Each structure stands twice: as structure tokens, then as C-alpha cells.
Amino acid sequence: MGIIDKFRLDGKVAWITGASYGLGLAYAEAMAEVGAQIVFNDINQDLVDRGLAEYKKKGIDAFGQICDVTNEEQVDAFVKEVIDKYGHIDILVNNAGIIKRIPMVEMTVKQWDQVINVDLTGPFICSKAVIPYMIKQGGGKIINACSMMSELGRETVSAYAAAKGGLKMLTKNICSEYGQYNIQCNAIGPGYIATPQTAPLREKQADGSMHPFDRFIRSKTPAQRWGTTEDLQGLAVFLAAPASDFINGQVVYIDGGILAYIGQDPSQLDESKFKDVEETADVKVADK
């Protein structure tokens, strides 16, 4: 197999959860470009219809249905339908996720449980559903949506950080249990991504100065810019493709260097050197 062929996904079926739009759609678009058949689910028919319309606009033949990733019966039924339709599921991207920005002492147990259920229990349920099929077919790829909050804490995101930290360890544990069956489980950890939802955090102030949060993020990022969805697509394809067959249990952070850098004084930044990036997707989880 030539090196370019190792990045192809021809004949592979890729299931991306919550991929009606946002980062899930971006991952799906990249995988479809290198040959994958895309299947996706979302929480309601409006979102599924939105996704199907977007895929059609992009010329992608995608299969989408309603499925709640926190409902094991729905997930099992969805997986069975995909297997009946296509014969196999080769790639699972556990992309569906939510965040609630609430101070910990003000967060209810119900709110906590909702975040944990979607962001951590959902990937467990979906992975549990596909792993037996992957074992039977001789292997597969699972890609989890981690975050910088898999490594760092931040005010008001206790449930999200706990879920993403747990997802990091679930990634390692799936590798440990099922690597012997040629199943690779890795994770993508996005940094701060420029999207319509984060646009208000990058707007110029009335006096022409930078938004304080924009300045803060750039001061913490060696690249001194926000990421784009295109920055994430290459890694998604790599982790789904044969090129990554000996990589397992890893979380790869695409953060412009934030996790490697203690940062600098925001007031010392030279704004004249900044390069803006285009908003490239409307993501569900805008703030990592």
C-alpha cells in the first residue's frame, strides 16, 4: 500500500454522532472526501433534516436518523440498522456533546448528570455498541471528542471538564481492552475554534480595542490565533485511516500550542502581527 493510500477511506463506513453541523459535519466532510460512506445521528428530526440538507449541498451521500446517544436501546437499534444497510461500521467518531457554564455550587445534580450523560456516558454506549461488530470484522477505529478541559480546569465548567477528563481515560481503556482486536481508540482535543458562536468573543470593542477574551486567548496561544475547523480535519482523517494503525490510546491536542505554553502578559501583545481567521462552522460546543 502506497503512502497516499494509507490515508484513503474507500469502502469504509464512518459513523459520526451529532454530525448535523459544526465539528461533526467538518469531520464527516473530510472523511467523505477520502472515500468514506457517512452515517450520522442527532437528537431530533429538525437537526437530522438540517444535516441531510447540508450534506446534499456538499454532494455527500449521507445516511442520517434520530438517535439519542444516551439511550442504549436507540443506539443499539441505530447500529443494527446501519449494519443491515451497509454490512459494517469501520469508524466511530463520538462527537456529540454539550456544555453548561454554571458555577459548581449553583449547578443542580440534574444539570450535572445531563452533561456527564451526553459527553461521557454517550461515548461509552456508542463504543460498546460497535466494538463487538469491529471485533467480528477484524478491527476498527474509534475517535473521541476530548478537549483542553481533559487536561485543564476552568471556572463554571466542572461537569464538562469532569466528563472530558473521563473521556480521556475511557479512550485509554478502550485501547487497553480492545487493541488486541486491531481496534484503535484515540481522541482529538480541539483548542479555541473560530465559529459564529465564538464570534462575539472576537469582536472589536466600541473604542476599537480587542475583546478582552480574544486578547486573553491569543496571549495563551503561541500561534496567536484561533483555530479553524480545517485545522481539525486532517487529524480526523489520519486517526480514521490505515496510516494510524499503530497509534492507540492517545489524545492529540490541536490547540495552537496552548497546553505547552505558560502564556504572556496580554497587555504586551502586538496586535499588528495578528492574523484573523474565518469562521468556518457553527459548532455546538463553541468554548473549550
Side-chain angles (χ1 to χ4, degrees):
M1 182 184 292
I3 188 63
I4 297 299
D5 294 329
K6 291 182 179 181
F7 291 86
R8 297 290 309 178
L9 298 176
D10 301 290
K12 304 293 185 181
V13 175
W15 172 25
I16 300 99
T17 67
S20 295
Y21 63 102
L23 298 187
L25 177 64
Y27 297 146
E29 185 178 4
M31 291 182 189
E33 187 174 329
V34 292
Q37 168 64 53
I38 302 301
V39 301
F40 74 99
N41 67 287
D42 222 311
I43 195 70
N44 60 52
Q45 192 62 51
D46 287 344
L47 285 172
V48 171
D49 290 343
R50 174 181 175 176
L52 289 172
E54 194 63 34
Y55 287 112
K56 184 176 181 180
K57 187 190 306 181
K58 295 176 181 293
I60 297 171
D61 175 26
F63 171 77
Q65 281 196 350
I66 297 173
C67 175
D68 180 351
V69 297
T70 69
N71 185 312
E72 188 168 15
E73 290 183 1
Q74 288 187 25
V75 168
D76 288 344
F78 179 84
V79 169
K80 184 179 184 304
E81 184 164 357
V82 173
I83 295 293
D84 288 345
K85 184 176 179 65
Y86 296 106
H88 48 99
I89 295 177
D90 306 283
I91 300 152
L92 165 64
V93 182
N94 283 310
N95 167 75
I98 61 171
I99 189 170
K100 291 184 180 294
R101 299 180 186 87
I102 304 170
M104 180 177 160
V105 296
E106 298 174 15
M107 176 172 269
T108 66
V109 172
K110 183 177 180 180
Q111 291 168 328
W112 168 277
D113 286 345
Q114 185 182 7
V115 175
I116 298 296
N117 285 341
V118 176
D119 292 358
L120 181 56
T121 306
F124 163 76
I125 291 172
C126 294
S127 299
K128 180 180 175 224
V130 301
I131 284 172
Y133 293 102
M134 289 181 172
I135 291 174
K136 187 180 297 186
Q137 70 197 21
K141 305 277 190 174
I142 298 174
I143 303 171
N144 291 325
C146 282
S147 163
M148 289 191 299
M149 297 302 104
S150 299
E151 300 290 342
L152 302 173
R154 188 179 167 214
E155 64 278 2
T156 77
V157 294
S158 57
Y160 182 77
K164 293 302 184 179
L167 187 58
K168 174 182 72 173
M169 295 312 300
L170 180 62
T171 300
K172 293 177 180 294
N173 207 76
I174 291 173
C175 157
S176 301
E177 284 198 64
Y178 300 105
Q180 62 182 307
Y181 300 106
N182 191 33
I183 295 172
Q184 292 86 50
C185 182
N186 295 290
I188 298 174
Y192 286 84
I193 308 300
T195 71
Q197 285 192 343
T198 59
L201 301 176
R202 300 188 307 280
E203 287 180 350
K204 294 290 185 182
Q205 303 299 283
D207 62 1
S209 63
M210 291 179 66
H211 190 291
F213 192 78
D214 188 11
R215 178 175 283 277
F216 170 74
I217 291 302
R218 291 176 187 262
S219 74
K220 296 294 184 182
T221 309
Q224 293 193 350
R225 69 170 177 87
W226 293 60
T228 69
T229 53
E230 284 85 355
D231 289 323
L232 308 178
Q233 289 177 316
L235 179 60
V237 168
F238 173 63
L239 293 179
S244 62
D245 279 354
F246 203 56
I247 298 175
N248 213 348
Q250 303 301 308
V251 183
V252 183
Y253 295 97
I254 305 182
D255 64 357
I258 289 179
L259 289 175
Y261 185 45
I262 197 170
Q264 61 176 294
D265 181 349
S267 67
Q268 301 302 309
L269 292 178
D270 183 355
E271 294 184 29
S272 66
K273 295 181 179 179
F274 291 165
K275 294 181 179 179
D276 292 329
V277 295
E278 293 183 5
E279 296 164 9
T280 52
D282 180 15
V283 297
K284 297 175 183 176
V285 179
D287 183 358
K288 301 299 179 188

